[in-house]
Amino acid sequence: MSDAVMTAWIAAGSGIVGALSGGALTGYFTLAAARKQAQSTLDAAARQADAAWAAGQRQAEAAWEAGRRQADAAWEAGRVQADAQLDVARQTLTAQHLAAQREVRRAAYAAFFAATEAGHQRRLEWQQALGTREAADCRDRYRAALSTVIEALTLVRLEGPARVSSAAEALEHSLDVNASLGQYQAAHDDFLDAARTALAAP
């Protein structure tokens, strides 16, 4: 084999080795770069995921806090509304109770007043009939009228108030056969005044 051929083979072998060596090095550096890029991508994705999770957590906490405040506000508004409705209902019931009580008292006072008026008239008739044949009948009518007065007085005592009851008792006593006409008139006026005051009270 000539020197020229040998030189060509050597040159060719060196080229092949160089080519193979250069490819291996290039592949190595390419693989390292790919790994580095992949790691960077993973790190970026992890950071992005962490950021997204943190943002989601903050958003969830903000939403929960807003919901809690909204629920608290709704509960407070409902409580205030319920209290207002209860207060209105309480006032309405109180007003209805007072109105009913006033009407019952008015009826009791009116019945007692009418009974005392009738008793007063029967007493006058009996006193005027003394010594006549009608005296006994007039006396019986007077006593019957007093029974009606006592029954009406019981209702007044039940309904009250105390001042009206006391005035009614004084008026009933003024119908006694031995009471003077002046006593009856004073008791009559006092009862009317007490009854009007009680009915006008709030």
Side-chain angles (χ1 to χ4, degrees):
M1 184 177 297
S2 65
D3 292 337
V5 173
M6 181 64 67
T7 301
W9 276 106
I10 293 171
S14 297
I16 292 170
V17 170
L20 290 173
S21 299
L25 289 175
T26 301
Y28 172 79
F29 287 116
T30 300
L31 178 60
R35 286 179 179 176
K36 186 175 180 180
Q37 184 176 1
Q39 186 63 46
S40 298
T41 302
L42 288 175
D43 291 343
R47 288 193 298 271
Q48 186 176 3
D50 290 343
W53 183 86
Q57 186 179 28
R58 288 194 297 271
Q59 185 176 4
E61 289 175 352
W64 183 87
E65 181 63 21
R68 185 189 63 80
R69 289 196 299 268
Q70 185 176 3
D72 289 345
W75 184 89
E76 180 64 18
R79 185 189 65 80
V80 171
Q81 184 177 4
D83 289 345
Q85 290 175 347
L86 285 175
D87 188 56
V88 170
R90 191 180 300 111
Q91 292 177 359
T92 301
L93 289 175
T94 299
Q96 291 175 348
H97 172 73
L98 291 176
Q101 182 186 59
R102 189 176 292 111
E103 289 305 312
V104 172
R105 284 181 171 179
R106 189 190 307 277
Y109 299 166
F112 176 75
F113 183 74
T116 56
E117 285 286 304
H120 176 62
Q121 292 299 321
R122 297 297 176 267
R123 186 181 71 161
L124 291 178
E125 292 172 1
W126 178 39
Q127 289 175 339
Q128 293 172 359
L130 289 175
T132 68
R133 288 183 296 182
E134 290 82 16
D137 291 337
C138 290
R139 180 195 63 203
D140 292 340
R141 286 194 294 271
Y142 164 67
R143 289 176 176 173
L146 287 183
S147 297
T148 303
V149 169
I150 292 173
E151 291 176 0
L153 175 60
T154 301
L155 292 178
V156 174
R157 284 171 172 161
L158 288 174
E159 294 302 323
R163 181 169 181 262
V164 177
S165 298
S166 298
E169 290 169 357
L171 182 54
E172 186 267 332
H173 292 323
S174 72
L175 294 175
D176 188 80
V177 65
N178 297 318
S180 65
L181 293 178
Q183 182 179 349
Y184 168 79
Q185 191 59 48
H188 172 277
D189 294 343
D190 186 56
F191 173 76
L192 282 180
D193 181 65
R196 291 190 182 110
T197 299
L199 292 175

